[in-house]
Amino acid sequence: MINTDARSIARHFEDAEHQAMPHQLFTLVFPMNTAKSHVLLGMKKRGFGCSKYEGLGGKVELDESIDEGAIRELNEESGLLATRFEKHGMLLFYYEDNPVAMEVHVYLVSDYMRDVVETDEMRPEWFGINELPFAQMWPDAARWWPHVLRSEKFVGRFWFKADKLTIAHEEFSCVESFSF
C-alpha cells in the first residue's frame, strides 16, 4: 500500500521503503508563554500515552487540513484557540509491530485566546521551557526539544521496538521549510 494521502509531506523525507507504508497523520501542539518562558503540556488521562506528559494534539480528520487539525485538537484538549502558530517539525515514528507509520506535525503557538481548561483527555500544565519533565514523556522528546528551543525546523525519524518505548534507531535533520 502506498501512502496516498495528499496532505502527507513525509514522502519528501523518506526512503522508498518507508514511503510505501501507510501513514496516519497527527499533530503535536505547544502553546508558548514567552513572557514567562513557559510551555503548555498535557498529562494524558486515557488512551495511547496515558500517564505521560506530551504536547497537545492528536489525529487529523479526513476532512481537514493538518493546520486545521492542530487548531481543533488544541481547543479540544485545552480550551485554547490558537491565533498565531507555526509548524516547526515533523516526526515520523515506525514501530516493529505496526505497519502504519505515524506522521506527526509539530507546532508552536505564540498567540492564543481563552483560558486553559482540563478536559476528559488531558490535564494541561505549564512548565518552564528548560524544565520539561522528560522522565514522564515519550523517550524521543528529549532528542528533538532542543531544536524547538533554537527555533529550528526539523525532521526526526524514530524506529521503536515492539515495547513502544525503546528507540532502536533515529535520524535527525534540520530543514529550511515544510512548503512543497
Side-chain angles (χ1 to χ4, degrees), residues 29-34 36-42 53-56 107-109 112 124-133 137 145 148-149:
V29 184
F30 295 93
M32 307 292 282
N33 180 329
T34 52
K36 294 183 178 180
S37 296
H38 282 81
V39 61
L40 188 66
L41 300 179
Y53 281 106
E54 54 189 46
L56 304 154
Y107 291 84
L108 293 185
V109 175
Y112 44 86
E125 187 174 339
W126 291 100
F127 289 90
I129 59 172
N130 293 309
E131 300 167 354
L132 270 61
M137 297 174 75
W145 184 251
V148 171
L149 291 180

Side-chain angles (χ1 to χ4, degrees), residues 46-159:
R46 64 176 187 203
F48 187 67
C50 185
S51 299
K52 290 191 178 298
Y53 281 106
E54 54 189 46
L56 304 154
K59 294 177 190 169
V60 178
E61 301 295 336
L62 290 174
D63 63 343
E64 64 188 359
S65 70
I66 296 169
D67 287 355
E68 290 168 339
I71 292 169
R72 177 187 51 77
E73 285 284 348
L74 174 65
N75 182 256
E76 288 177 2
E77 294 186 349
S78 72
L80 294 179
L81 179 61
T83 56
R84 187 180 320 158
F85 61 99
E86 182 179 7
K87 187 180 299 187
H88 272 266
M90 184 177 63
L91 301 167
L92 294 158
F93 298 110
Y94 313 105
Y95 296 95
E96 277 184 346
D97 62 345
N98 188 345
V100 179
M102 292 177 66
E103 178 178 333
V104 182
H105 295 258
V106 180
Y107 291 84
L108 293 185
V109 175
S110 55
D111 284 315
Y112 44 86
M113 300 185 316
R114 302 188 183 150
D115 293 326
V116 174
V117 296
E118 184 170 342
T119 66
D120 290 343
E121 190 171 351
M122 287 284 198
R123 183 175 45 85
E125 187 174 339
W126 291 100
F127 289 90
I129 59 172
N130 293 309
E131 300 167 354
L132 270 61
F134 289 118
Q136 295 174 272
M137 297 174 75
W138 290 104
D140 58 279
R143 292 174 163 86
W144 53 262
W145 184 251
H147 295 276
V148 171
L149 291 180
R150 293 190 297 266
S151 294
E152 296 173 342
K153 295 190 183 310
F154 62 89
V155 175
R157 298 174 68 199
F158 295 90
W159 288 259

